[in-house]
Amino acid sequence: MPAALTSTTTSRRQFLALLGISAAAVSCGTATATGGSGSGKQVTTLKYQGAVGAVTLPELAADLGYLGGLSLEWVGNTISGPQDIQSAATGQTHFGGAFNGAVVKLAAGDAPVKAVISYYGSDQDTNLGYYVLEDSPIRSARDLIGKKVGMNTLGAHAQALLDIYLGRGGLSRADSDKVEALVVPPVNTEQSLRQKQIEVGVLSGVLRDKAVAAGGIRPLFSDFDLLGAFSGGTYVMTQRFIKENPDTVRTFVTGVGKAIDWSRTTSREEVIARMTEIVRKRGRNEDTSTLQYWRSYGVAAPSGRIEAKEFQLWIDWLGDRGEVKKDRLKAADLFTNEFNGNAKG
């Protein structure tokens, strides 16, 4: 079955609608999972969304015993970062993770959320790659004019890096607008590229490594090529939840930070074995074969510490696009390292 492709205009409109829903729900106090019990007792079970065939850092932290008395309650799998943080903002979950530019958009929509720890990024081993077929004539930014680029969601990490690549390649805004970004589910991206439904496929993590191992494709560029090592996404919680559950937040954030550091200092083989066992134990009938391609979570700073520059980059990018007002947002207001016991300072 061919993968479904979604146009840039439609998906951006849907994404902005989600942001409006998030802000409205939070401001009206309709959230169900954002606060404490109302009796002074802090939340000890955190609702979250996972990912098929993958192990998130909170899941790893829980399995390693780093979350203390906290437990995780899986409520389903997320379809994208923007959807995940929208769920957190509206109280369907206690935390959600997304590209920092999506967090900026959510904050710009007046949703009272705050980033608490970085959870993914790019380094020389783990990065977001833009791939073409091996015999493709595409070699430069200008070659992308009129071409289709498949990515997991629009208005987020993948489209931001595409815009940066096109700009650095000398394309005007008018020419950049002729490059068509399409939504393609990550599990279908390789297939769509090989069947020539798209000319460029954005691949990362185990799906990228699996596709590369199969041969017949080559990288055009990666986000690591453009920006070097950086943390690209954060977990967010509502400000209300943070205020009412400070000990819970501290335990969660510090535990996730310890899991990041554990994944760095432990052999790749041991990390993969641990993640494989976690997936098997949760009994969701998932394929664990892709886990063998795991390399790192790509988080730049120790313990997932957040840096202001990791938000300022996207405030500037979105401001240049006219999607947010630069002077309305300050990077330092969007995140906190206060609850990260291993990354203060």
Side-chain angles (χ1 to χ4, degrees):
M1 288 286 292
L5 307 181
T6 306
S7 72
T8 302
T9 303
T10 301
S11 291
R12 181 175 292 133
R13 190 178 298 125
Q14 291 170 341
F15 176 69
L16 292 175
L18 281 180
L19 294 182
I21 292 170
S22 300
V26 175
S27 64
C28 292
T30 58
T32 59
T34 52
S37 64
S39 62
K41 186 177 180 180
Q42 296 186 33
V43 170
T44 57
T45 299
L46 300 178
K47 295 181 179 181
Y48 79 102
Q49 295 185 110
V52 178
V55 176
T56 66
L57 276 164
E59 289 171 332
L60 178 62
D63 193 71
L64 290 168
Y66 293 161
L67 296 187
L70 301 183
S71 60
L72 300 177
E73 181 182 342
W74 175 71
V75 298
N77 291 318
T78 183
I79 58 173
S80 71
Q83 184 272 334
D84 200 28
I85 59 174
Q86 183 258 346
S87 294
T90 56
Q92 298 170 64
T93 58
H94 289 103
F95 64 88
F99 160 60
N100 286 334
V103 176
V104 169
K105 279 190 174 184
L106 194 64
D110 295 324
V113 295
K114 193 171 286 277
V116 293
I117 188 169
S118 295
Y119 76 99
Y120 87 83
S122 295
D123 57 26
Q124 60 182 357
D125 294 320
T126 301
N127 49 66
L128 198 70
Y130 295 67
Y131 286 82
V132 297
L133 294 176
E134 203 162 40
D135 60 356
S136 170
I138 297 174
R139 298 281 176 179
S140 69
R142 191 156 296 280
D143 294 334
L144 290 176
I145 295 175
K147 303 298 191 296
K148 296 181 176 67
V149 182
M151 57 190 65
N152 69 322
T153 190
L154 301 181
H157 190 137
Q159 190 169 22
L161 270 297
L162 176 61
D163 279 359
I164 291 173
Y165 176 73
L166 297 175
R168 290 187 182 182
L171 269 67
S172 65
R173 172 51 58 189
D175 283 339
S176 294
D177 288 343
K178 296 175 184 176
V179 180
E180 187 176 3
L182 299 171
V183 173
V184 182
V187 294
N188 299 123
T189 301
E190 178 187 356
Q191 175 191 7
S192 297
L193 178 62
R194 295 188 189 279
Q195 292 182 348
K196 300 185 178 181
Q197 293 178 304
I198 54 178
E199 283 82 17
V200 183
V202 182
L203 296 165
S204 64
V206 295
L207 294 176
R208 179 201 63 180
D209 292 344
K210 187 177 181 181
V212 170
I217 64 174
R218 60 175 172 81
L220 179 62
F221 71 95
S222 73
D223 56 358
F224 179 71
D225 294 334
L226 293 179
L227 302 177
F230 70 100
S231 290
T234 48
Y235 284 127
V236 304
M237 293 175 161
T238 65
Q239 293 174 19
R240 175 186 168 191
F241 182 82
I242 293 171
K243 181 179 179 180
E244 295 182 356
N245 300 273
D247 297 333
T248 296
V249 176
R250 185 171 293 106
T251 299
F252 171 78
V253 173
T254 300
V256 171
K258 288 178 67 176
I260 291 170
D261 295 340
W262 180 87
S263 73
R264 282 198 178 105
T265 57
T266 305
S267 71
R268 179 168 171 263
E269 291 74 20
E270 186 177 343
V271 175
I272 291 173
R274 188 84 182 219
M275 292 195 300
T276 300
E277 184 59 23
I278 291 171
V279 172
R280 286 175 176 163
K281 284 191 300 185
R282 65 195 186 197
R284 300 176 198 162
N285 195 30
E286 300 164 275
D287 181 10
T288 62
S289 62
T290 56
L291 289 173
Q292 66 182 299
Y293 298 100
W294 181 89
R295 295 181 182 276
S296 78
Y297 285 103
V299 178
S303 304
R305 177 181 170 80
I306 305 171
E307 303 289 345
K309 63 183 180 182
E310 293 163 351
F311 278 97
Q312 192 61 53
L313 175 67
W314 309 117
I315 291 174
D316 293 341
W317 174 69
L318 290 165
D320 290 341
R321 291 169 60 87
E323 296 187 37
V324 302
K325 294 181 179 179
K326 290 185 186 181
D327 57 358
R328 272 200 68 217
L329 298 171
K330 293 183 179 179
D333 294 336
L334 304 182
F335 71 92
T336 179
N337 288 308
E338 176 186 353
F339 299 94
N340 195 331
N342 297 316
K344 293 182 179 179

